[in-house]
Amino acid sequence: MVMKSTNSRVTATGLYLSAFSLFFCYAFFATSMYNDALPPRFELVVLAVVVPLLLTKIVAFDRYSMGQWLIMLTGLVLVAWTARTAGRYVLIGVYLLVIGARQVSFEKIAKTALLVGLATFILIFISAYVDLIPNLRYLRAGTYRNSFGIQYPTDFAAHVLYLLLTYAAVKKGRFQWFDWLINLFAAWFVWHYCDARLDTVLIAILLVLLAVYWLIQKGIKPALWVSWLSVGAMAIGAALSLGLSYFYSPKIKWLEELNHLLSARLRLGRTAFDRYDLHWFGQVIETTGWGGTLGFKQFTGKLVTKEYFFIDSAYLSVLLSFGLLVALALLVGYTWFAWREVRRRDYLLPLLIAVTAISCIIDQHLLDISYNIFVLALLADTESFRLPESG
């Protein structure tokens, strides 16, 4: 019986990681200039392969009570309806990846993401270097911002940030001198070549929180308070992002100064509130950004279409695109997870999620698996991240 259970668990993990790898790799490529070569709605082809794999893992290997099955099926119906309303069917894949992560080691998920992500990232970078795909270069205030094969410079910088977060999870926060150097070099690179100042600050925050985790491992009690504060990071981030955008006015001097510091994100957030109402199941949000081929042509004046309008805040983007139900479920889920993990002496994952919570104020990657894999930790097995009682 033990051997059978072990074999089943390995098979279930293999199914899940296969589905995750395929979805993750596609989503990563979709953020690059290779996306221009993909046929329209190619995500539906990917989902046609990924969804059966995940459903097989969930139905054949996971064990739930009748009430739990009912809750999951109800959730799937609501998510499918939301995806249809928002016109973004990848939400179904994300939901099943979260549900399917049950009893799968998050350490293995992180290792898979790091391996696949680095391989894809390097391939895209080299492809841009040898001109297989364009390296879009945006001129801002006399400084060129390189995208290195990704659709926009800040998206490239965000990939770097989230790969570093994944790397920290794989290393379980136990950094040696060269790990610190890798992070410092990455921060310098995105600052110098992408002029991505906010993502550079986020990498610095990551290093500070990893230093806090080192103090926790050393038994420094005051450092534990930082982990407890991280429990509310997602709620605080959402409140700040939504509140500042909603109450923004150019007539309020400090808000206008903050808006300038955040590259007009508050003004664009206020515009989003003016154009769209809140719905339970979301809606189609029409944006016009500067990323990708069409966006670059518009940025350089070679193509004149609509005015620039993009929602950078992940909190506002999720709230308007996917509706109140998904936004509330994510907020409650993240907060519950961080509280549970700190109680179980896993201080690292809540600290890493705190970085993503800050990132989501300025970036739109809360539900983008190609960046943020930490949403998959909500139901995954995180036992290997817990410190021993004597730690």
Side-chain angles (χ1 to χ4, degrees), residues 35 39-40 42 78 82 91 94 110 147 163 167 182 214 239 256 267 333:
N35 189 58
F42 186 71
L78 293 177
T82 301
L91 182 64
V94 174
S147 64
L163 283 173
Y167 180 70
I182 290 172
W214 179 80
E256 180 57 26
R267 177 179 60 81

Side-chain angles (χ1 to χ4, degrees), residues 93-309:
V94 174
Y95 176 79
L96 291 177
L97 280 169
V98 173
I99 298 299
R102 184 171 181 261
Q103 294 184 339
V104 177
S105 168
F106 185 70
E107 182 180 355
K108 292 183 178 179
I109 295 174
K111 287 180 178 178
T112 302
L114 185 62
L115 179 63
V116 177
L118 275 177
T120 308
F121 184 81
I122 292 171
L123 175 60
I124 292 170
F125 187 92
I126 293 176
S127 297
Y129 183 77
V130 298
D131 292 328
L132 284 177
I133 55 176
N135 168 29
L136 302 180
R137 304 182 74 216
Y138 296 78
L139 183 62
R140 181 176 71 178
T143 300
Y144 277 105
R145 313 174 72 204
N146 297 275
S147 64
F148 296 113
I150 303 299
Q151 293 190 350
Y152 198 68
T154 53
D155 289 334
F156 176 88
H159 270 307
V160 173
L161 169 67
Y162 279 94
L163 283 173
L164 291 175
L165 284 164
T166 305
Y167 180 70
V170 170
K171 296 280 291 189
K172 296 184 180 175
R174 300 184 180 96
F175 271 23
Q176 300 181 47
W177 64 269
F178 56 85
D179 298 312
W180 296 99
L181 284 181
I182 290 172
N183 280 259
L184 289 173
F185 172 78
W188 169 82
F189 190 92
V190 299
W191 175 284
H192 184 73
Y193 289 103
C194 304
D195 195 26
R197 295 162 294 185
L198 296 175
D199 284 289
T200 304
V201 172
L202 286 168
I203 295 174
I205 292 173
L206 167 62
L207 293 178
V208 170
L209 292 183
L210 287 174
V212 169
Y213 183 67
W214 179 80
L215 293 175
I216 292 174
Q217 289 178 298
K218 295 296 181 182
I220 308 299
K221 299 296 183 181
L224 287 173
W225 284 104
V226 180
S227 280
W228 278 109
L229 287 174
S230 70
V231 171
M234 197 65 69
I236 294 171
L240 283 174
S241 179
L242 298 176
L244 290 172
S245 294
Y246 185 81
F247 292 106
Y248 164 77
S249 170
K251 298 179 181 179
I252 304 176
K253 183 178 179 181
W254 71 272
L255 276 178
E256 180 57 26
E257 291 175 350
L258 182 60
N259 176 62
H260 178 73
L261 182 64
L262 296 177
S263 303
R265 283 173 168 83
L266 298 186
R267 177 179 60 81
L268 291 169
R270 180 62 254 182
T271 301
F273 274 120
D274 291 336
R275 292 184 180 181
Y276 297 98
D277 296 323
L278 296 182
H279 297 278
W280 286 106
F281 298 102
Q283 61 202 302
V284 175
I285 302 294
E286 296 184 2
T287 60
T288 304
W290 285 334
T293 301
L294 292 179
F296 185 72
K297 288 180 178 179
Q298 180 170 327
F299 176 83
T300 55
K302 297 178 181 178
L303 179 68
V304 179
T305 55
K306 301 178 181 178
E307 64 172 334
Y308 178 86
F309 171 66

